[in-house]
Amino acid sequence: MSEPTASIIPDDRVQPLSQKEFDRYSRNILLPEVGVERQARIRAAKVLVVGAGGLGAPIALYLAAAGVGTIGVVDHDVVEESNLQRQIIHGTRDIGRPKTASARDSIRAINRGVKVVTHQQALTSENALDIIEQYDVVVDGTDNFPTRYLLNDAAVFLGKPVVYGSIYQFDGQVSVFDARLGPCYRCVNPTPPPPDLVPSCAEGGVLGVLPGLVGTLQATEVLKLIVGDAEPLIGRLLLVEAWSTHFTELSISKNPDCPVCGQQPSITELIDYQEFCGVGGHDDQETPIASITATDLKTRLDAGEPVQLVDIREPHERALSPFPAAHAVPYGQLVRRIDEFDPSVDLIFLCTIGQRSVFAIRALERAGYQGALLNLKGGVAGWNQEFAQQKAG
Amino acid sequence: MQLTLPGATVAELVTALTDAYPDLAPHILDDDGALRSYVNVFVDDTDIRQLDGQATALSESSTVRLLPAIAGGAPDDRETARQEAR
Ligand SMILES: [Zn+2]
């Protein structure tokens, strides 16, 4: 169980509300736990939302509606059509616009009293401390490990809480990491998984409403930290399993050997997080991945050249977009079934978008496979785009 | 996925699990057979770091959860493209 925490907003920043604000926020103010004074704290608060995507969308919208005075939004991306299934801060007309601009418009449509600060850039080791320093609390709505570790370390160094959330398929996690009062993200996750074991939502999918569920939990935690005297999710990790509708609370604790917030920290300034997480081009000793384009593959197939086509997608993915010419071996079984492949014939992996194939190639290389391994560029999606009329037969 | 497996400690249970599902082994164990540091284990909803680590004793009714870290939040298609290009 967590202890009630004091408000993170210093008293000297809290100014009285106007009559208009009094009316607007009356349903908050009626709660004895909030009241007039604490609604004024909400208005004084400065919240940084990192990522204007699935999680950032409900977080920013609800915090704006609740009357948070300053909301910063960090995102370097533009709105794409496939975002709209879950990123409800953006609309169809925003496709192609910077996410921060679209988010600013949506926030201001809800509440013109909110000051929106847009940071249309990626959070990096160079800018993170300067940006985060201007805020009282950071909300983690990022989609990748390097930014999560960066955010965590910067927040620990600056003594700020991070309201953490992450999602994958039907599952979500929420916690509040405040190294002054409990564990930080690194205490619980000392090292990131290698990138080839990390499926992204672009590859693995995500139920559109899930970030709404997780993001509103994060927004709730932010308001509790601002208002004070609540019991935030410090030292607790909440698991949200939407498919079975289970909410599970796990107990997590500070790691005394944590490299950033432990007793003898070994990391005392921001590091290179791409390198730390093993992404980016730092591993020179790895052989480059060989790829084949859909057009070249078609030429080889039409010429009757011998190739081994192996479809590493899961059965439900194959059902969505079949490729019957290929031999189906799901990714998880590849290494065990390595003897089914003939090293004297080029082996070409097919997946959805050509990402998992890269990992499949690495996995077989590690398992000692000697033959030529190729990745179908763009995966089955790319093939179908190229040859829409004549799907693989 | 939920399974019932034998084991008097977390370590024994993990062995029973990877014996039953060999494909899982490389994902949760390193080359020396130790649990990978990015797989968190909870016994009855408590992190085993707060208990006796992999020596944590289990009873017949214990629930053990293996929790991998997840990264998602604002899935970024171009992030994928960058990883693909490496
Ligand atoms: Zn820590």
Side-chain angles (χ1 to χ4, degrees), chain A residues 183-187 254-255 258 260-262:
Chain A
C184 79
Y185 181 75
R186 265 187 202 269
C187 290
K254 201 174 181 75
N255 172 8
C258 175
V260 280
C261 80

Side-chain angles (χ1 to χ4, degrees), chain A residues 54-55 77 80 82 86 142-143 145 148 166-167 188-191 194 197 201-202 239 241 249-253 332 336 353-355, chain B residues 23 26-27 36-38 40 42 45-47 49-50 65 67-80 82-84 86:
Chain A
L55 294 172
D77 226 334
E80 293 176 29
S82 68
R86 62 197 177 283
T142 60
D143 65 340
F145 285 110
R148 278 194 203 290
S166 87
I167 49 169
V188 185
N189 300 288
T191 52
L197 291 182
C201 290
L239 301 187
E241 292 165 298
E249 187 185 309
L250 302 176
S251 167
I252 54 177
S253 61
R336 180 160 44 110
I353 57 173
Q355 183 191 15
Chain B
D23 290 331
H27 293 275
R36 292 192 182 275
S37 56
Y38 51 81
N40 285 325
F42 295 83
D45 299 337
T46 300
D47 191 335
R49 293 192 194 98
Q50 294 170 54
R65 185 187 281 270
L67 191 72
I70 54 175
D76 171 351
D77 299 355
R78 287 181 301 162
E79 193 71 40
T80 314
R82 277 199 292 278
Q83 285 188 7
E84 209 181 312
R86 81 194 179 94

Side-chain angles (χ1 to χ4, degrees), chain B residues 4-84:
Chain B
T4 305
L5 290 164
T9 62
V10 169
E12 286 182 31
L13 187 88
V14 168
T15 306
L17 176 67
T18 50
D19 285 350
Y21 296 88
D23 290 331
L24 203 58
H27 293 275
I28 61 173
L29 302 178
D30 64 20
D31 296 339
D32 303 324
L35 260 184
R36 292 192 182 275
S37 56
Y38 51 81
V39 177
N40 285 325
V41 183
F42 295 83
V43 173
D44 294 326
D45 299 337
T46 300
D47 191 335
I48 59 167
R49 293 192 194 98
Q50 294 170 54
L51 306 168
D52 296 325
Q54 291 182 53
T56 301
L58 303 176
S59 75
E60 206 157 305
S61 59
S62 299
T63 302
V64 178
R65 185 187 281 270
L66 299 186
L67 191 72
I70 54 175
D76 171 351
D77 299 355
R78 287 181 301 162
E79 193 71 40
T80 314
R82 277 199 292 278
Q83 285 188 7
E84 209 181 312

Side-chain angles (χ1 to χ4, degrees), chain A residues 72-251:
Chain A
V73 182
V74 186
D75 206 307
H76 67 285
D77 226 334
V78 296
V79 179
E80 293 176 29
E81 191 174 23
S82 68
N83 299 153
L84 303 179
Q85 159 260 22
R86 62 197 177 283
Q87 301 181 13
I88 57 167
I89 202 165
H90 314 299
T92 309
R93 281 184 301 183
D94 297 315
I95 292 170
R97 294 183 70 201
K99 285 189 176 177
T100 52
S102 165
R104 180 193 56 215
D105 291 352
S106 301
I107 291 170
R108 291 185 58 80
I110 288 179
N111 192 342
R112 296 198 75 77
V114 178
K115 182 182 168 203
V116 184
V117 183
T118 56
H119 304 273
Q120 178 68 30
Q121 54 192 316
L123 205 66
T124 65
S125 300
E126 286 68 46
N127 63 25
L129 292 171
D130 288 340
I131 293 176
I132 293 172
E133 195 173 26
Q134 306 163 39
Y135 296 89
D136 300 304
V137 51
V138 186
V139 199
D140 180 351
T142 60
D143 65 340
N144 63 81
F145 285 110
T147 313
R148 278 194 203 290
Y149 282 94
L150 164 63
L151 206 68
N152 178 73
D153 295 359
V156 171
F157 297 150
L158 294 167
K160 314 257 183 192
V162 176
V163 178
Y164 158 81
S166 87
I167 49 169
Y168 179 65
Q169 296 191 334
F170 296 98
D171 296 340
Q173 302 182 355
V174 190
S175 191
V176 175
F177 293 117
D178 186 334
R180 299 162 302 176
L181 302 169
C184 79
Y185 181 75
R186 265 187 202 269
C187 290
V188 185
N189 300 288
T191 52
D196 58 351
L197 291 182
V198 181
S200 72
C201 290
E203 179 96 353
V206 62
L207 185 68
V209 71
L210 181 71
L213 204 53
V214 172
T216 45
L217 285 164
Q218 288 178 276
T220 310
E221 293 304 310
V222 171
L223 290 175
K224 285 160 60 184
L225 292 172
I226 294 168
V227 162
D229 283 342
E231 288 174 33
L233 266 175
I234 293 173
R236 299 183 285 158
L237 179 67
L238 183 70
L239 301 187
V240 178
E241 292 165 298
W243 196 244
S244 57
T245 316
H246 278 120
F247 285 69
T248 310
E249 187 185 309
L250 302 176
S251 167

Side-chain angles (χ1 to χ4, degrees), chain A residues 268-286:
Chain A
T268 53
E269 55 185 32
L270 299 180
I271 58 172
D272 181 339
Y273 293 87
Q274 299 290 325
E275 188 180 8
F276 173 67
C277 295
V279 295
H282 292 276
D283 35 9
D284 294 2
Q285 67 274 43
E286 277 204 351

